[in-house]
Amino acid sequence: MDNNNNIHAPTVASGPTSGEAPARDLSKLGVVDLMQEKERIEAELSALSSVLSSHGVHMNTSLTTFDGYPRDDIDVAQIRTTRARIIRLRTDHKEVMLLLEKGIHDHFASLQRAQATAPSDGNTNNTQAVPTSAADNDAAGSEAAGVPFAKVNSVVPGSPADQAGLKAGDTVRSFGSVNWLNHERLSKVAQVVQQNEGRPVAVIITRKDTNSANTLELSLALTPRRDWGGRGLLGCHLVPL
């Protein structure tokens, strides 16, 4: 029978092997490192999914015949190994996503604290306090150092994009693992959205300050959802720059 209790250690060599790396304290990683870890895990999950597809099976396909014997038309051992690896990586991915969400919220909170404690006698000082983060958030700032690659053309009120804080006119510097170097006319953004339904995606945007000539850099957590009452998973329209 298909019993995962006796599955041996995974040996599939497809994609990154972040799940088999020596254990480390993920809670000590910065936002950028967590994003990279998320990207590594997702790359390996994609590779392992391809392994299953090459056998013509998926995670729930039966590996036994109608009378309970292992199927002889597929490599049952490799499929079991691959499935076990996928299960482990999905657990790792959940942990990384929880830490990433916390890191993004902490980063955004630090920006708000900086803004609140900045001198209030002029708009310029208040604005500059937002993009200037504490030293422990330098990594998040370096992640956003790339060129904006998309513009938010519109945002539907009450949508996931609206709830995350996106506004029309914002320019996007990074959307999860997607940036100006790899967005491929926003096709990669659509891919990230589909792969992260119900999970927060780190989005770094630039926004013009209406009270000055300065720009603000903000880190947002955007969770694609279907149940918000409108079309699409985001409720906003992005156009490439």
Side-chain angles (χ1 to χ4, degrees), residues 56-239:
V57 302
H58 50 73
M59 290 296 289
N60 298 317
T61 302
S62 175
L63 304 183
T64 59
T65 61
F66 72 94
D67 51 357
Y69 288 96
R71 291 171 52 181
D72 59 7
D73 60 325
I74 54 177
D75 189 337
V76 173
Q78 185 182 20
I79 294 171
R80 285 177 172 171
T81 293
T82 303
R83 284 179 171 178
R85 180 69 177 153
I86 288 174
I87 292 170
R88 289 176 55 190
L89 286 172
R90 285 177 175 175
T91 300
D92 292 345
H93 189 271
K94 288 180 180 179
E95 181 181 3
V96 169
M97 290 304 301
L98 288 173
L99 291 170
L100 183 56
E101 181 180 11
K102 180 179 183 301
I104 293 170
H105 284 307
D106 289 348
H107 175 60
F108 189 55
S110 73
L111 298 182
Q112 291 179 318
R113 288 194 298 269
Q115 184 179 29
T117 57
S120 57
D121 56 348
N123 288 329
T124 300
N125 288 336
N126 284 337
T127 301
Q128 290 176 343
V130 176
T132 304
S133 60
D136 59 350
N137 287 309
D138 285 344
S142 63
E143 172 69 13
V147 177
F149 65 89
K151 181 179 180 180
V152 181
N153 198 35
S154 62
V155 176
V156 179
S159 66
D162 183 39
Q163 293 173 354
L166 275 180
K167 297 181 181 299
D170 290 345
T171 55
V172 181
R173 290 194 173 200
S174 67
F175 196 105
S177 60
V178 181
N179 56 48
W180 67 287
L181 294 172
N182 64 4
H183 67 90
E184 296 181 10
R185 300 296 293 178
L186 304 187
S187 64
K188 292 297 183 181
V189 171
Q191 188 177 79
V192 168
V193 170
Q194 292 293 331
Q195 292 174 346
N196 289 278
E197 183 176 350
R199 297 192 293 260
V201 177
V203 181
I204 299 179
I205 59 99
T206 298
R207 177 177 299 163
K208 290 183 179 180
D209 183 10
T210 57
N211 296 319
S212 73
N214 294 329
T215 58
L216 312 178
E217 180 183 291
L218 301 175
S219 299
L220 309 177
L222 175 53
T223 303
R225 293 188 293 107
R226 295 183 185 274
D227 59 353
W228 62 274
R231 295 176 58 186
L233 296 176
L234 300 182
C236 69
H237 182 221
L238 299 180
V239 293

Side-chain angles (χ1 to χ4, degrees), residues 11-35:
T11 56
V12 177
S14 301
T17 56
S18 57
E20 294 183 349
R24 57 176 174 169
D25 189 353
L26 294 176
S27 65
K28 294 182 179 179
L29 297 181
V31 172
V32 175
D33 289 333
L34 285 170
M35 286 181 176

